[in-house]
């Protein structure tokens, strides 16, 4: 996680934190489908950040 976070600019880091907050909100509201959707998008975005950095 630290390695991915260091690849983000300020906008990306804010988006990541917002996604974490949204995941927590989904769990707090007892909505596993919402949590799954946000987590899936979050992990995919992190994957692509790493993939693009490796290509550079």
């Amino acid at each position: 996680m630290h390695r991915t976070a260091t690849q983000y600019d300020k906008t990306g880091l804010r988006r990541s934190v917002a996604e974490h907050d949204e995941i927590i909100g989904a769990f707090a509201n007892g909505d596993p489908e919402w949590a799954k959707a946000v987590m899936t998008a979050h992990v995919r975005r992190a994957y692509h950040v790493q993939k693009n950095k490796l290509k550079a």
Side-chain angles (χ1 to χ4, degrees):
M1 184 171 96
H2 174 63
R3 182 178 65 205
T4 303
T6 61
Q7 302 300 315
Y8 288 137
D9 59 12
K10 286 184 180 184
T11 301
L13 194 53
R14 285 186 191 115
R15 180 177 44 236
S16 180
V17 169
E19 289 168 346
H20 284 130
D21 290 343
E22 190 171 358
I23 293 163
I24 291 167
F27 281 118
N29 285 303
D31 192 335
E33 292 302 315
W34 177 23
K36 179 180 176 181
V38 176
M39 191 66 201
T40 298
H42 180 69
V43 169
R44 285 182 178 163
R45 188 176 344 277
Y47 167 78
H48 288 290
V49 166
Q50 288 298 321
K51 183 178 173 185
N52 290 336
K53 290 293 180 176
L54 289 174
K55 286 183 179 179

